[in-house]
Amino acid sequence: MPEEGGLDLGITPEGEQVSELLLAYVRELTSDERLGVRTVVVMGSRARGTWKPWSDTDLLVIAQAPAGELPYTREAARINVELRAYRPDEFLKALWRLDLTALEAVHHGIVLYDDGFWPEARREFERVRAFYGLVREELGWRAKRWREICEELGLP
């Protein structure tokens, strides 16, 4: 897990360091073994460095527990955590479905915790990227091979 002082994710409207509150939340998530947390990644404007004090904190959590079982703590509320949760197999499938959250997390997310799952996710992302010919553009992703793939599958 990154050190609190070395991670700049901005401040809240009240002037609190988002990284301190976020890392406290991550420690709580990862300390509960029943949740089976594999990876935690901050993404969005906080990860890109384009945050404003009122920005939410987009957080990807890959865990064995269903999303509804992940706690939402006081720290999470203070930094307006926007929680996006996947089980490990769901996350890998989401990459192939070109799920924007999954693509963005791998592309520019900052890993806050990982038990070894993230390198597997990155390898899968590279396979997806090559298969679709994915290119990151200003407003999202473009699949250069989309038309070709549709033709191969006989889709309109």
Side-chain angles (χ1 to χ4, degrees):
M1 193 167 339
E3 295 296 319
E4 290 177 8
L7 182 62
D8 182 12
L9 300 174
I11 58 172
T12 67
E14 296 77 28
E16 297 175 281
Q17 290 295 317
V18 169
S19 60
E20 292 174 18
L21 296 167
L22 183 57
L23 291 175
Y25 180 52
V26 171
R27 277 192 292 277
E28 185 162 336
L29 287 175
T30 58
S31 68
D32 187 342
E33 292 180 15
R34 295 171 300 140
L35 299 176
V37 175
R38 304 284 316 268
T39 305
V40 180
V41 177
V42 64
M43 47 189 283
S45 65
R46 296 280 180 191
R48 288 189 309 266
T50 59
W51 56 269
K52 305 287 186 233
W54 54 86
S55 295
D56 65 1
T57 303
D58 297 301
L59 192 66
L60 169 76
V61 177
I62 299 172
Q64 297 299 336
E69 292 182 21
L70 297 174
Y72 196 79
T73 66
R74 223 170 97 194
E75 287 85 7
R78 286 169 55 194
I79 55 174
N80 195 18
V81 164
E82 193 66 40
L83 190 61
R84 293 169 173 119
Y86 296 81
R87 289 191 170 136
D89 60 325
E90 292 172 341
F91 184 78
L92 297 177
K93 289 175 187 173
L95 289 169
W96 284 99
R97 288 191 319 269
L98 304 180
D99 177 297
L100 187 58
T101 295
L103 295 175
E104 292 293 292
V106 177
H107 182 259
H108 73 264
I110 298 171
V111 177
L112 302 177
Y113 172 85
D114 180 53
D115 73 352
F117 175 77
W118 200 242
E120 178 184 348
R122 290 203 50 81
R123 284 189 299 275
E124 197 70 13
F125 171 77
E126 291 305 326
R127 284 192 284 273
V128 168
R129 187 179 174 113
F131 179 80
Y132 287 109
L134 288 181
V135 177
R136 182 69 170 89
E137 296 183 341
E138 185 179 347
L139 297 176
W141 292 87
R142 183 168 55 91
K144 294 192 306 186
R145 291 195 59 238
W146 189 256
R147 183 170 289 137
E148 177 185 337
I149 291 167
C150 289
E151 287 173 7
E152 287 174 15
L153 296 173
L155 299 173

